[in-house]
Amino acid sequence: MSTTTAPQLHPDLQKFLAKKTHQLLIGGQWVDGLSGRTFDTFNPATGEVLGTVAEADSKDVDAAVAAARKALEGPWAKLSPAEREKVLHKAADLLEARAEAFAQLETLDNGKPIREAKNGDLPLAAGLLRYFGGWPTKIHGETTPVSVPYYPGSKFLHYTVREPVGVVGAIIPWNFPLLMAVERLAPALACGNAVILKPAEQTPLAALFLGELLLEAGVPPGVVNVLPGFGPTAGAAIAAHRGIDKVTFTGSTEVGREVVKASSGNMKRVSMELGGKSPNIVFADADLEAAAKGLFMGIFYNQGQCCSAGSRVFIERSKYPDMLAALAERAKTVRQGNGMDPKTHMGPLVSSEQRERVMSFIESGKKQGASLLAGGDAPAGPGYFVKPTVFGDVKDDMRISQEEIFGPVVSVMPFDDVSEVVSRANNTDYGLVAAVWTKDVKKAHLMASALKAGTVWINCYHFVDAAAPWGGVKASGYGREKGQYALENYTSLKSVWVDLN
């Protein structure tokens, strides 16, 4: 475990954290929750209270929906597409200017290493704002040649219009607090919607800090509302509210099913990115040095707290012993500690509950006969740490091979041929991502076609971009975020007929 002295916090962050209570953002105003309840959010590296946050419930959701509706009918609707672009680009400028403060907050609230926050989360978030900031003037309909067989010789003009879907409820997870908020807000705002954002109760601060920035960027009151709270109260109210037209959710498959059920009251549109149990497949003809780095990054990035974590590693049998040993030895060298230390490779898990969950999976792996080659325990002392853990001799039906762990735990298994590994890789309820390591171009493309996943990486892992679609199949969800495909989530297509006869 590494140790570090208390970091010098950015002045903007110091001012933000000095608040006695972080309030809700509703209608452009910072307000207490109507219930008066608050909850604490913790620094996962120390277990200490980082801040106290107002707790939203169903009544606050009602107020936010009213504010969002008012904004949709007022100043937001009056902004031209070009003016919406200016607002989003201004937000990107402000985020880049305050990147240090936001990166520090991500690390304090989530636990991730500061270098991951600086080099990953922040530029990706700013990139999303800039990418979708270019879309408002390019969202358009089409004219369609039409004919009416029962009205021969008639002339009609037919065209389509893309309109905002309305009020969007966005329920986001704790593993990438800022990035997930921006990933939902940027396309929704580009399309002219209003948003009610519920950050995870474990990591509410980035969304609130972002709310301040968006108001400064010129987002009109009520267009973005931020409601920290808990799933069974605030989250459930958003999913069920008849004044919300669309819900976007990222989280567990189990909760996703509840969101779908709750959304059926007014048949609101739903898109969701859920869990994963992703295969990371190494063939004997791969660049093994690059593959070794990809296996490590695939599972241990962000403490393994990624829906896309490569938690099932398949290695062609002839290379299995050496690659397994190399992965285990590399896991043993990981420098764990407070994420604010620039030398830290891996921070803590987000909460004590998450640490207990991950440790229960590790115990399950031991009991079911997997070979523990690295890690497997939680270091003593403050913080919610679990050592990076490598299991060999894993069977496909073991719990650690079937269920999403969401922590730094990897199951490594040998395979013999292409058809076998495709069958085993697809033998899961999930289908978010997959990766293939090979120098054989034909094999790579055949594998990409055969694997049931929303994204397939070839000779790389964890690469994303604002323009590339993101989402899964099967129990990993439906709908796509990022790229032009996200516009489908946040617009409604209207068909218009004009009689020219």
Side-chain angles (χ1 to χ4, degrees):
M1 294 288 293
S2 68
T3 59
T4 182
T5 56
Q8 181 63 43
L9 297 183
H10 190 280
D12 290 345
L13 181 56
Q14 289 183 33
K15 181 180 178 181
F16 176 76
L17 292 176
K19 296 178 181 180
K20 182 178 179 181
T21 301
H22 298 278
Q23 297 174 297
L24 314 178
L25 176 59
I26 299 178
Q29 300 296 317
W30 295 100
V31 298
D32 293 330
L34 291 172
S35 70
R37 291 191 299 269
T38 62
F39 64 97
D40 291 334
T41 184
F42 299 89
N43 181 338
T46 64
E48 298 172 344
V49 173
L50 184 60
T52 299
V53 183
E55 179 187 340
D57 62 16
S58 61
K59 292 182 179 179
D60 301 296
V61 174
D62 289 340
V65 170
R69 287 284 169 200
K70 183 178 180 181
L72 282 176
E73 297 166 2
W76 191 228
K78 294 175 183 177
L79 284 187
S80 69
E83 289 171 322
R84 288 206 307 274
E85 287 189 351
K86 289 180 180 179
V87 170
L88 288 168
H89 285 300
K90 176 70 176 297
D93 291 341
L94 291 173
L95 187 58
E96 288 176 341
R98 296 170 193 168
E100 181 71 20
F102 273 94
Q104 289 180 347
L105 181 57
E106 285 291 272
T107 294
L108 291 173
D109 209 14
N110 168 272
K112 66 180 62 189
I114 187 69
R115 60 182 182 178
E116 288 185 11
K118 284 183 178 180
N119 299 326
D121 300 43
L122 265 297
L124 286 170
L128 281 162
L129 286 168
R130 292 211 182 280
Y131 175 82
F132 284 107
W135 267 109
T137 56
K138 301 164 190 68
I139 299 171
H140 58 79
E142 298 175 326
T143 58
T144 312
V146 294
S147 59
V148 182
Y150 50 81
Y151 196 175
S154 60
K155 295 182 180 180
F156 291 90
L157 169 65
H158 178 271
Y159 61 93
T160 59
V161 180
R162 285 206 171 271
E163 299 178 335
V165 72
V167 177
V168 174
I171 304 171
I172 61 171
W174 44 257
N175 55 339
F176 294 93
L178 174 67
L179 187 57
M180 289 295 177
V182 173
E183 190 176 272
R184 301 313 189 267
L185 287 167
L189 298 182
C191 294
N193 299 284
V195 182
I196 298 168
L197 176 68
K198 193 203 88 66
E201 62 267 24
Q202 297 89 346
T203 55
L205 297 182
L208 295 169
F209 203 25
L210 180 64
E212 292 184 356
L213 181 149
L214 292 173
L215 291 177
E216 185 178 344
V219 174
V223 173
V224 174
N225 306 274
V226 185
L227 304 185
F230 295 86
T233 49
I238 289 171
H241 204 290
R242 291 181 177 272
I244 293 177
D245 304 291
K246 185 255 184 321
V247 168
T248 173
F249 171 78
T250 299
S252 72
T253 300
E254 293 75 18
V255 176
R257 291 190 177 99
E258 296 303 315
V259 170
V260 171
K261 291 177 185 177
S263 70
S264 64
N266 66 335
M267 300 301 291
K268 60 172 58 69
R269 293 168 59 178
V270 178
S271 59
M272 50 182 57
E273 192 250 286
L274 305 175
K277 195 66 183 173
S278 302
N280 202 350
I281 303 166
V282 181
F283 285 95
D285 62 2
D287 179 335
L288 297 181
E289 183 177 348
K293 294 177 182 178
L295 298 183
F296 183 85
M297 174 67 71
I299 184 58
F300 295 131
Y301 184 77
N302 202 43
Q303 296 74 250
Q305 297 173 136
C306 300
C307 299
S308 56
S311 55
R312 291 186 299 147
V313 168
F314 296 92
I315 301 173
E316 195 161 2
R317 193 172 298 275
S318 64
K319 301 299 181 182
Y320 176 76
D322 291 343
M323 292 289 288
L324 174 60
L327 181 59
E329 286 305 308
R330 187 165 184 175
K332 294 174 184 177
T333 67
V334 170
R335 181 184 173 96
Q336 279 188 287
N338 191 316
M340 295 298 289
D341 185 346
K343 296 180 181 178
T344 291
H345 298 155
M346 182 183 289
L349 300 185
V350 74
S351 66
S352 59
E353 293 82 5
Q354 185 63 15
R355 179 178 60 184
E356 290 171 8
R357 171 183 165 82
V358 171
M359 289 304 300
S360 74
F361 275 102
I362 291 173
E363 291 306 312
S364 172
K366 293 177 184 177
K367 290 178 181 177
Q368 290 190 308
S371 300
L372 180 63
L373 302 175
D377 61 340
Y384 313 131
F385 293 89
V386 172
K387 289 183 179 178
T389 300
V390 177
F391 279 109
D393 301 317
V394 178
K395 306 300 181 186
D396 290 334
D397 60 353
M398 289 181 180
R399 186 178 174 223
I400 57 172
S401 184
Q402 284 296 315
E403 298 182 34
E404 185 177 39
I405 299 174
F406 226 65
V409 182
V410 63
S411 299
V412 188
M413 298 163 278
F415 72 91
D416 293 302
D417 57 51
V418 169
S419 60
E420 174 207 341
V421 76
V422 167
S423 176
R424 293 170 65 193
N426 288 338
N427 185 25
T428 172
D429 291 337
Y430 299 106
L432 186 58
V433 307
V436 178
W437 301 84
T438 178
K439 293 178 181 177
D440 185 332
V441 174
K442 179 180 178 180
K443 185 191 298 179
H445 287 290
L446 289 173
M447 289 292 293
S449 176
L451 292 168
K452 305 301 182 186
T455 294
V456 177
W457 288 301
I458 297 174
N459 296 329
C460 58
Y461 208 99
H462 277 324
F463 281 76
V464 296
D465 185 82
W470 183 260
V473 299
K474 300 192 289 185
S476 290
Y478 47 81
R480 293 293 181 267
E481 301 293 341
K482 301 193 178 84
Q484 63 180 342
Y485 313 92
L487 304 179
E488 297 290 338
N489 291 335
Y490 301 103
T491 58
S492 292
L493 189 64
K494 179 178 286 183
S495 176
V496 180
W497 288 71
V498 181
D499 188 342
L500 301 179
N501 297 286

